[in-house]
């Protein structure tokens, strides 16, 4: 895998290898909106969200090491959606502004976190 991509509206994850990606499920004249990021299997990485069409502008800060990840999210108004994180290790705990939250595995080493906050929030994930 060279890149991982997330489609904004469906949340589908695509694996891109050798620059090739197949969109058989997109009808003629259809459209998809992808965020593509280099595949980094050895560290946590942001794969996108449904919080902002850019799938990244909502991230104000990102601090990661082998044991934990701290993300500051910032956007106007009330946010109610999810973010997707790739990680070589499964999460052991997650909190949003010190409130425990749950996550769902999407596929191997990819996890979705449901978030609700007003304007800004701090997400902490322990691995």
């Amino acid at each position: 895998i060279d890149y991982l991509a997330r489609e904004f509206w469906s949340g589908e994850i695509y694996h891109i290898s050798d620059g090739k990606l197949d969109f058989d499920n997109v009808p003629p004249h259809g459209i998809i909106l992808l965020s593509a990021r280099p595949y980094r299997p050895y560290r946590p990485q942001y794969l996108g969200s449904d919080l902002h069409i850019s799938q990244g502008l909502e991230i104000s800060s990102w601090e990661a090491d082998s044991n934990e990840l701290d993300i500051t999210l910032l956007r106007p108004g009330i946010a109610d959606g999810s973010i997707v994180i790739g990680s070589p290790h499964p999460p052991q705990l997650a909190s949003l502004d010190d409130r425990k939250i749950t996550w769902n595995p999407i596929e191997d080493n990819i996890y979705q976190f449901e978030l609700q906050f007003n304007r800004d929030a701090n997400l902490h994930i322990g691995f």
Side-chain angles (χ1 to χ4, degrees), residues 42-78:
Y42 48 86
R43 67 178 189 206
Q45 67 183 118
Y46 194 70
L47 299 179
S49 78
D50 58 9
L51 298 174
H52 191 276
I53 199 165
S54 69
Q55 299 194 74
L57 282 177
E58 65 276 12
I59 301 296
S60 167
S61 72
W62 174 280
E63 295 180 35
D65 64 30
S66 60
N67 297 320
E68 57 189 18
L69 171 62
D70 288 294
I71 304 169
T72 303
L73 299 145
L74 181 63
R75 50 160 287 131
I78 296 173

Side-chain angles (χ1 to χ4, degrees), residues 62-102:
W62 174 280
E63 295 180 35
D65 64 30
S66 60
N67 297 320
E68 57 189 18
L69 171 62
D70 288 294
I71 304 169
T72 303
L73 299 145
L74 181 63
R75 50 160 287 131
I78 296 173
D80 186 359
S82 63
I83 66 170
V84 178
I85 303 289
S87 173
H89 306 290
Q92 300 299 310
L93 60 95
S95 62
L96 185 68
D97 291 333
D98 297 321
R99 292 183 327 267
K100 288 184 181 181
I101 62 169
T102 60

